[in-house]
Amino acid sequence: LAQQGMPPPGCARSYDATHALSSFQRQHEVQLVRMFRAEQGSSAVGNASLAMALALDGLRFSRARKRHFLRRFAGFNHSTPARAMLSVGCALSDVACSSGSEAHSYSNGMQDVSLHSHFFRGLRNGVYVEIGAMDGVGASNTLFFEQHLNWTGTLIEPSACGTCVLPRLRPRDRTANAG
């Protein structure tokens, strides 16, 4: 069957089961964050139990690294790291905080956290490609991996951000203006 371009028997069922399980886990993660936000009001800073549930416990973001990261935004009003969609441990703007585990998600739907917890947990020094990087912060699916797991990669953006903003806000990454 494989020579005829058809999958062996059972592959489709195996994929469907994996996909269904992954979808269920993803829905559970989103539900956890919604419940947390409902309990905490407008606060986007999570607690240790949320960190454990999302497999973010054990991630660190030292004060020195946080200060270095925040310096990138000096003089930029439109792109601030306060746009983290979810912070677990400490708020990103709170440099003095030392809660142990700390993680910040920038993706619109927590895709970065989901990718980490399901596929890349603990994988350090990886490589990524982000197409449609915008300013490299807002709705970024890769900034989480740069901050917490020391990943680097290529950011591709067709707008002017690809040449003026991205190199400043994401200096460790290669940038390409594809517009």
Side-chain angles (χ1 to χ4, degrees), residues 1-167:
L1 291 172
Q3 291 176 346
Q4 298 171 1
M6 298 177 66
C11 279
R13 270 190 233 118
S14 174
Y15 169 78
D16 289 345
T18 302
H19 179 71
L21 179 60
S22 178
S23 294
F24 174 75
Q25 290 170 332
R26 176 85 180 103
Q27 289 171 357
H28 179 67
E29 291 168 351
V30 170
Q31 185 180 20
L32 282 170
V33 172
R34 284 186 183 145
M35 286 181 350
F36 172 79
R37 284 188 175 156
E39 291 172 7
Q40 301 296 319
S42 62
S43 172
V45 179
N47 58 20
S49 61
L50 182 62
M52 287 181 66
L54 297 174
L56 300 175
D57 52 323
L59 293 179
R60 303 283 186 260
F61 198 40
S62 72
R63 290 179 187 175
R65 286 189 63 217
K66 188 187 280 191
R67 276 193 293 276
H68 179 73
F69 173 74
L70 291 173
R71 271 189 233 126
R72 296 181 193 178
F73 297 90
F76 280 92
N77 292 328
H78 74 285
S79 290
T80 62
R83 287 182 13 189
M85 298 299 180
L86 173 71
S87 292
V88 175
C90 297
L92 186 55
S93 58
D94 188 355
V95 179
C97 179
S98 59
S99 70
S101 295
E102 180 175 350
H104 306 283
S105 170
Y106 299 90
S107 295
N108 282 333
M110 290 181 19
Q111 293 93 334
D112 49 4
V113 170
S114 188
L115 284 169
H116 171 262
S117 63
H118 295 290
F119 300 106
F120 304 115
R121 185 182 305 181
L123 182 63
R124 298 201 175 279
N125 303 313
V127 177
Y128 50 73
V129 174
E130 183 162 13
I131 299 172
M134 297 185 348
D135 64 5
V137 179
S140 174
N141 293 318
T142 58
L143 184 54
F144 170 90
F145 293 97
E146 177 194 321
Q147 278 184 344
H148 302 295
L149 298 169
N150 200 37
W151 287 36
T152 58
T154 301
L155 306 174
I156 301 170
E157 174 56 38
S159 74
C161 289
T163 56
C164 63
V165 177
L166 277 176

